[in-house]
């Protein structure tokens, strides 16, 4: 996937995952997180995963747009 520009995750629930997600594709421009309407993005597992990707996005060679349940950062 060398030309990957858009990556989307759909969460229902999950354990905290604080390992690197590996968003290293230089063509990546946008990462989208969506959670089921029955789960909020502040659930510990989801929140931890988003924090890891947020940190990787800050260090990425492109300016990556994060979109969390419709709210762009």
């Amino acid at each position: 996937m060398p030309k990957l520009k858009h990556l989307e995750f759909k969460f229902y629930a999950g354990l905290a995952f604080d390992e690197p997600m590996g968003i290293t594709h230089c063509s990546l421009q946008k990462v989208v997180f969506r959670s089921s309407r029955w789960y909020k993005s502040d659930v510990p597992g989801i929140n931890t995963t988003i924090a890891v990707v947020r940190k990787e996005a800050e260090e990425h060679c492109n300016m990556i747009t994060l979109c969390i349940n419709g709210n762009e950062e």
Side-chain angles (χ1 to χ4, degrees), residues 40-55:
K40 296 182 178 182
S41 61
D42 61 354
V43 171
I46 295 172
N47 196 24
T48 301
T49 303
I50 290 171
V52 168
V53 172
R54 187 177 279 134
K55 182 178 184 263

Side-chain angles (χ1 to χ4, degrees), residues 1-6 22-30 59-64:
M1 291 184 250
K3 298 194 184 227
L4 180 69
K5 292 185 178 185
H6 182 104
I23 58 168
T24 58
H25 293 286
C26 283
S27 58
L28 190 62
Q29 298 172 355
K30 186 172 188 174
E59 299 169 355
H60 197 272
C61 59
N62 281 344
M63 178 71 110
I64 295 180

Side-chain angles (χ1 to χ4, degrees), residues 11-17 43-46:
F11 290 102
Y12 293 94
L15 300 173
F17 183 79
V43 171
I46 295 172

